[in-house]
């Protein structure tokens, strides 16, 4: 029994052999880094034919993990294990490797599965403990801790205001008088995030199902996104150049038919830091050529990074999500926040952002918060009122 907490703790284990590795509360780890790194220790140099005349056979290499839904690592654990196969089903994957023992290339079978285990199976639990669980008022916690459901938002910053039936909707045509802009959180080794937003000036709009929705001035709709995350590695970036990201943004705006309408929105202020002569912002602003056609580069404005702005941003997002829960037929007076159902990465990562245990008014920055940060920049900024007075990179 030994402890790991930080990614750097792995180096205390590097080079060791552990035929069996057991993890307790896997969702406490905000990323899969330690889980993957420790797989390098899941080995044995024991050779039955040479090391034991009785030849008991190979020592099996096993990795087990237990956890509850929710927590900083909820998202990556769900994607890596829960979403891969039904409970109890064995997921098989063949990997072609060079086998040092046979000196040949061979197909090696790797398997994984996940199973549901209920508190009802634990005969050592006292009924008084179960009585406490049964009195939990939070419906998401009840689903997670009593029912083992992974389709919950529990213990997070937004679990008390996020209601998919209200906040998530089918894409509809954006009226010509609505403002469209974008926000950005930079990442290379870690994911980057681009969000496209439509802001209502107030008035009625026809939704995808043909119904009339009354909007108020300042209503924000997330209408598109690009999450620069490795599809097979949660919270791992694509290591793209700034110029490549800029080209990808323009390509997506052209495909959505909004390129000529998009205004520069707020970005992570670190993109203006100068490194090796140019900043990320300057490199993104350079002209882009797509299919032989030249386009102006991608421009941004500075995000609000004033003192206290981070927690103020989360609070404003919560308020806008709460505002959206008010009757949409006309009883609402304050702007709300809505998301098109095509923004699947936002829907998967934003609602489960956990609170910082040391500061409950903030999000745990160790979690997969890139989309959350990018959306927070947009909520805190208005293109028509740039509070800092700086609109950097609007030329070119």
């Amino acid at each position: 029994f030994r402890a790991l907490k930080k990614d750097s703790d792995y180096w205390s284990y590097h080079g060791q052999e552990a035929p069996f590795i057991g993890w307790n509360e896997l969702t406490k780890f905000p990323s899969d880094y330690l889980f993957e790194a420790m797989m390098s220790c899941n080995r044995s140099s024991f050779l039955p034919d040479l090391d034991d005349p009785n030849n008991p056979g190979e020592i099996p290499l096993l990795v087990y993990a237990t956890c509850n839904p929710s927590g900083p690592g909820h998202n990556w654990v769900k994607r890596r294990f829960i979403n891969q196969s039904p409970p109890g089903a064995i997921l098989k994957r063949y990997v072609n490797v060079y086998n040092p023992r046979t000196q040949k290339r061979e197909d090696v079978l790797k398997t994984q599965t996940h199973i549901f285990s209920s508190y009802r199976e634990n005969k050592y639990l006292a009924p008084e403990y179960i009585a406490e669980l049964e009195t939990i008022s939070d419906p998401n916690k009840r689903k997670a801790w009593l029912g083992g459901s992974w389709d919950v938002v529990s213990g997070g910053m937004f679990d008390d205001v996020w209601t998919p039936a209200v906040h998530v909707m089918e894409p509809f045509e954006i009226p010509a008088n609505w403002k469209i802009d974008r926000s950005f959180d930079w990442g290379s080794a870690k994911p980057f995030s681009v969000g496209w937003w439509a802001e209502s000036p107030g008035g009625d709009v026809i939704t995808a199902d043909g119904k009339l929705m009354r909007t108020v001035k300042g209503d924000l709709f997330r209408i598109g996104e690009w999450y620069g995350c490795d599809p097979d590695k949660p919270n791992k970036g694509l290591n793209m150049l700034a110029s490549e990201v800029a080209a990808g943004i323009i390509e997506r705006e052209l495909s959505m038919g909004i390129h000529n309408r998009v205004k520069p929105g707020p970005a992570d202020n670190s993109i203006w830091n100068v490194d090796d002569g140019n900043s990320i912002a300057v490199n993104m602003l350079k002209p882009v050529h797509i299919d032989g056609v030249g386009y102006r580069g991608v421009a941004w404005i500075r995000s609000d990074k004033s003192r206290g702005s981070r927690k103020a941003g989360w609070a404003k997002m919560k308020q806008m999500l709460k505002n959206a829960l008010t009757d949409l037929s006309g009883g609402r007076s304050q702007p709300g926040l809505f998301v098109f159902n095509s923004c699947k990465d936002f829907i998967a990562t934003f609602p489960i952002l956990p609170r910082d245990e040391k500061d409950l008014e903030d999000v745990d920055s160790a979690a997969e918060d890139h989309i959350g940060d990018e959306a927070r920049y947009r909520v805190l900024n208005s293109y028509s009122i740039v509070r800092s007075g700086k609109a950097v990179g609007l030329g070119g």
Side-chain angles (χ1 to χ4, degrees), residues 14 19 29 76 198 333 371:
H14 183 72
F29 297 90
W76 78 261
S333 60
I371 289 179

Side-chain angles (χ1 to χ4, degrees), residues 157-352:
M157 176 66 77
F158 306 103
D159 60 356
D160 58 338
V161 292
W162 176 256
T163 304
V166 173
H167 296 117
V168 181
M169 57 182 56
E170 290 276 350
F172 56 81
E173 184 175 353
I174 306 301
N177 65 329
W178 285 28
K179 179 182 69 179
I180 298 178
D181 63 1
R182 59 174 108 80
S183 54
F184 182 55
D185 187 59
W186 169 254
S188 181
K190 291 293 186 180
F192 65 80
S193 181
V194 185
W196 283 271
W197 303 86
E199 182 175 337
S200 170
D204 299 343
V205 68
I206 303 298
T207 58
D209 57 5
K211 295 181 179 179
L212 186 70
M213 176 181 177
R214 297 191 182 280
T215 69
V216 301
K217 184 177 181 180
D219 273 350
L220 271 183
F221 294 78
R222 186 180 181 87
I223 62 173
E225 66 182 9
W226 180 19
Y227 190 36
C229 181
D230 187 325
D232 299 319
K233 302 285 185 181
N235 210 18
K236 184 177 184 300
L238 300 179
N239 291 303
M240 293 177 65
L241 299 175
S243 58
E244 295 173 327
V245 175
I249 289 173
I250 293 175
E251 288 175 346
R252 284 162 176 78
E253 291 177 354
L254 291 170
S255 67
M256 289 189 287
I258 61 173
H259 179 62
N260 291 331
R261 295 183 59 182
V262 179
K263 306 296 183 182
D268 179 359
N269 290 346
S270 68
I271 69 172
W272 281 279
N273 295 339
V274 176
D275 185 22
D276 295 330
N278 275 333
S279 67
I280 292 168
V282 168
N283 286 329
M284 295 187 77
L285 193 57
K286 294 177 180 178
V288 173
H289 288 83
I290 301 173
D291 297 329
V293 179
Y295 297 90
R296 296 177 62 184
V298 175
W300 305 101
I301 62 174
R302 290 184 181 270
S303 58
D304 184 351
K305 286 293 188 75
S306 60
R307 184 178 179 86
S309 62
R310 180 177 169 87
K311 289 192 285 188
W314 301 131
K316 186 172 181 181
M317 294 182 83
K318 288 195 70 170
Q319 185 60 58
M320 292 186 72
L321 289 169
K322 187 175 182 179
N323 293 343
L325 297 176
T326 308
D327 182 14
L328 300 181
S329 64
R332 193 162 53 87
S333 60
Q334 298 299 317
L337 182 63
F338 305 91
V339 183
F340 281 4
N341 61 12
S342 55
C343 299
K344 299 186 183 303
D345 290 307
F346 180 96
I347 295 168
T349 63
F350 173 80
I352 60 174

